[in-house]
């Protein structure tokens, strides 16, 4: 189980990401990655996404709920493994709703095509280059000149 420090670090990292790639397994065993918008920034072990019922990810999760969720920014990367499920909760859907979702779901949260996808994260790994893009570039240049290893955080964890 992740301790408070790990959860704080995960919340810090998740604040850097707007989009995630949720990877599912299709009926033929092939892996498929689906871009989804992160809906909640306060991470407690669960991730929430808004998705259309007819999305291929929904079909895949019905066959195999095991998923991978990956995130990337200029200076941080996060990979989570967990179990996904559809959640029928109109109040939670309204809570997670934001106007940007109307680009995909113009009929709003009351649209019967819209459903919540909850991912219960079980484990993961992150890589973080503290200091942002400029620090990362300078560290890379330092490595090229001196041969010293790039500095940054890398941790595996269980939730």
């Amino acid at each position: 189980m992740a301790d408070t420090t790990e959860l704080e670090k995960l919340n810090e990292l998740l604040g850097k990401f707007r989009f995630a790639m949720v990877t599912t397994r299709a009926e033929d065993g092939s892996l498929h990655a689906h871009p989804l918008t992160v809906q909640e920034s306060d991470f407690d072990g669960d991730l929430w996404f808004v998705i259309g019922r007819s999305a291929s990810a929904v079909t895949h999760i019905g066959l195999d709920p095991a998923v991978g969720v990956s995130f990337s920014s200029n200076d941080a990367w996060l990979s989570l493994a967990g179990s996904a499920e559809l959640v029928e909760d109109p109040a939670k859907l309204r809570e997670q709703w934001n106007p940007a979702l109307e680009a995909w779901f113009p009929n709003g949260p009351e649209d019967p095509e819209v459903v919540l996808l909850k991912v219960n994260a079980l484990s993961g790994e992150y890589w973080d280059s503290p200091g942002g893009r400029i620090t990362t570039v300078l560290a890379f240049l330092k490595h090229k000149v001196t041969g010293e290893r790039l500095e940054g955080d890398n941790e595996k964890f269980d939730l």
Side-chain angles (χ1 to χ4, degrees), residues 28-106:
D28 66 0
S30 61
L31 298 175
H32 294 258
H34 313 269
L36 295 174
T37 304
V38 179
Q39 295 304 315
E40 195 171 61
S41 59
D42 189 21
F43 181 71
D44 62 359
D46 295 330
L47 294 169
W48 292 91
F49 302 95
V50 175
I51 193 167
R53 290 180 193 278
S54 60
S56 60
V58 171
T59 303
H60 298 167
I61 289 164
L63 298 168
D64 181 356
V67 297
V69 184
S70 58
F71 305 86
S72 177
S73 72
N74 290 325
D75 62 353
W77 302 266
L78 173 63
S79 174
L80 299 171
S83 180
E85 65 179 301
L86 295 182
V87 175
E88 304 279 350
D89 183 340
K92 181 74 173 174
L93 178 57
R94 283 190 298 280
E95 176 188 315
Q96 297 295 316
W97 192 262
N98 67 70
L101 289 167
E102 292 173 10
W104 292 275
F105 308 108

Side-chain angles (χ1 to χ4, degrees), residues 137-155:
V137 169
L138 291 174
F140 176 74
L141 292 173
K142 178 182 174 183
H143 164 73
K144 294 305 267 180
V145 172
T146 67
E148 290 182 29
R149 186 173 186 263
L150 295 174
E151 296 178 18
D153 296 332
N154 172 234
E155 294 290 333

Side-chain angles (χ1 to χ4, degrees), residues 81-129:
S83 180
E85 65 179 301
L86 295 182
V87 175
E88 304 279 350
D89 183 340
K92 181 74 173 174
L93 178 57
R94 283 190 298 280
E95 176 188 315
Q96 297 295 316
W97 192 262
N98 67 70
L101 289 167
E102 292 173 10
W104 292 275
F105 308 108
N107 296 324
E110 287 76 26
D111 186 338
E113 167 65 11
V114 180
V115 67
L116 286 168
L117 176 65
K118 176 182 172 184
V119 174
N120 177 11
L122 302 172
S123 64
E125 184 170 10
Y126 68 82
W127 302 261
D128 188 20
S129 298

